[in-house]
Amino acid sequence: MNKAPTKKNLIAAKKGLRLAQRGHNLLEKKYIALLRELKRAEKIIHEMREKLYKITAAAGETELEIFRELKDSPINIPPYNLDETTVAFDEAFFMWRKIFAAQDELAEAESELETLRLRVRRTKKRASALGNVVVPRLEKQIKYISERLEENERDEKTRFKAAF
């Protein structure tokens, strides 16, 4: 208790306590909202994985090695002449291009999910710090200052009575 037991410090401590409690409540609400958002994002990623699995299963293993090489191609069109290929090859090419796009979308969503998880952990840590450290410390400080002020008041009353 490094604060002097004065009315000014008591008022400041009470004001700080109200602010800390309000902050704690807001962080708890934010934590709950982030958890809801996290569950929603996990559900979306699960659906994206299912979609990718279905597309991949439909594509099969046709021309897989060629398409893995084409994935890194900066060109959005087939690097071959459409007149010189079969319909099956063309369909497989476009199917794998769709798969690669879905994989990129899934990777981006998973990255956002990790960011959201980090925000959830950080918010929970801050809410816990306020609720378990700051608020109890301020309550203890308020109790100490109040008791000291009451004691000083009793001493003054006693001295005042003794003087008369």
Side-chain angles (χ1 to χ4, degrees), residues 82-100:
L82 290 174
D83 296 340
E84 299 171 1
T85 61
T86 65
V87 172
F89 183 85
D90 293 340
E91 287 175 353
F93 173 82
F94 290 113
M95 180 63 78
W96 280 103
R97 199 166 77 180
K98 192 185 290 187
I99 290 171
F100 296 142

Side-chain angles (χ1 to χ4, degrees), residues 97-144:
R97 199 166 77 180
K98 192 185 290 187
I99 290 171
F100 296 142
Q103 286 175 335
D104 290 343
E105 189 179 319
L106 179 62
E108 187 177 318
E110 286 176 343
S111 174
E112 290 174 9
L113 181 68
E114 280 306 308
T115 302
L116 190 57
R117 284 185 178 138
L118 177 65
R119 288 177 60 200
V120 167
R121 281 193 300 271
R122 202 170 33 209
T123 302
K124 184 61 177 170
K125 186 177 180 181
R126 288 178 179 166
S128 294
L130 271 176
N132 298 329
V133 177
V134 176
V135 169
R137 187 189 77 223
L138 287 170
E139 288 172 341
K140 188 176 178 182
Q141 186 178 24
I142 289 169
K143 181 180 176 189
Y144 169 77

